[in-house]
Amino acid sequence: MHTIENLKNATRHSWTSTGRHESVAEHSWRMTMMAYLMKDEFPEADIDKVIRMCMIHDLGEVFTGDIPTFVKTSNDEATEEHLLNQWVDSLPQPFAQEMSEIYAEMEAQKTLESKIYKAIDKLEVLIQHNEADISTWIPKEYTLNLVHGEKQVAFSDYMKALKAAINEDTKKKLSESGI
């Protein structure tokens, strides 16, 4: 529990609507809420599993901190994965095995549940950016916000429509800011 608590302290590149950096824990929490609220859109999916994926997806950042996707290298990813695997392996059973299996499923991106989780991960970031003040954005994000997550939502008409609605919010924010 002490290790996991660090997700509350690890801040992300994203900002909240009140002008402070968002924590990794806050990002994961809102992802779990998004999954829960989408359960009617995916009645064939095991939403409880999606929620578990959302809860654990960024646990590696306990060890490395948040590295924004547009600067994260394969070296960074390997380090995070190695440290996370060491920690997961140290957990008691059945948690170590269950988490290892869930991480493998998330990585493979073959199941409906893993695709829902991954799309939510990308979409939550975009929503958070749209909620934050435009002054917290870097210029690269003016275009990145419009294309980030396109591949991950392609599996679902619902997710594509949600992405389109988020894009409209982004365009409105940029327009209102004179960008």
Side-chain angles (χ1 to χ4, degrees), residues 10 57 59 61-64 66 68 73 78 87 110 127 131 139 142 146 154-155 158-159 161 163-164 167 171:
H57 84 286
L59 280 175
E61 294 182 11
V62 162
F63 309 104
T64 62
D66 176 62
T73 67
W87 181 76
K110 300 278 188 218
I127 292 168
E131 291 171 340
Y142 302 155
L146 295 170
F155 75 97
Y158 172 79
M159 291 293 196
K163 170 76 171 116
N167 279 358
K171 291 173 186 174

Side-chain angles (χ1 to χ4, degrees), residues 26-54:
E26 290 168 315
H27 164 67
S28 297
W29 171 80
R30 186 149 79 166
M31 284 179 60
T32 64
M33 289 301 300
M34 288 174 69
Y36 174 72
L37 294 170
M38 288 180 187
K39 69 181 179 179
D40 291 346
E41 297 297 331
F42 298 98
E44 68 281 17
D46 179 349
I47 292 299
D48 288 338
K49 182 183 263 188
V50 176
I51 289 170
R52 287 192 305 273
M53 290 175 173
C54 293

Side-chain angles (χ1 to χ4, degrees), residues 42-159:
F42 298 98
E44 68 281 17
D46 179 349
I47 292 299
D48 288 338
K49 182 183 263 188
V50 176
I51 289 170
R52 287 192 305 273
M53 290 175 173
C54 293
M55 286 173 31
I56 70 168
H57 84 286
D58 273 342
L59 280 175
E61 294 182 11
V62 162
F63 309 104
T64 62
D66 176 62
I67 303 170
T69 188
F70 51 83
V71 296
K72 196 174 210 174
T73 67
S74 57
N75 231 11
D76 294 328
E77 290 174 2
T79 299
E80 183 177 312
E81 184 177 348
H82 172 72
L83 294 170
L84 176 63
N85 287 337
Q86 276 186 319
W87 181 76
V88 168
D89 290 344
S90 76
L91 296 174
Q93 294 299 340
F95 302 105
Q97 181 177 343
E98 180 182 333
M99 286 178 78
S100 292
E101 290 170 0
I102 290 173
Y103 280 123
E105 183 176 341
M106 292 162 63
E107 180 68 27
Q109 285 291 289
K110 300 278 188 218
T111 64
L112 177 59
E113 290 79 8
S114 66
K115 291 175 182 179
I116 294 170
Y117 130 75
K118 194 64 162 180
I120 290 172
D121 186 27
K122 301 301 182 184
L123 296 176
E124 195 284 331
V125 169
L126 301 175
I127 292 168
Q128 188 61 56
H129 267 69
N130 284 342
E131 291 171 340
D133 190 273
I134 195 75
S135 67
T136 65
W137 293 31
I138 61 173
K140 176 185 282 193
E141 291 168 324
Y142 302 155
T143 54
L144 183 60
N145 227 54
L146 295 170
V147 297
H148 187 72
E150 284 180 349
K151 181 178 120 185
Q152 290 80 12
V153 302
F155 75 97
S156 160
D157 288 339
Y158 172 79
M159 291 293 196

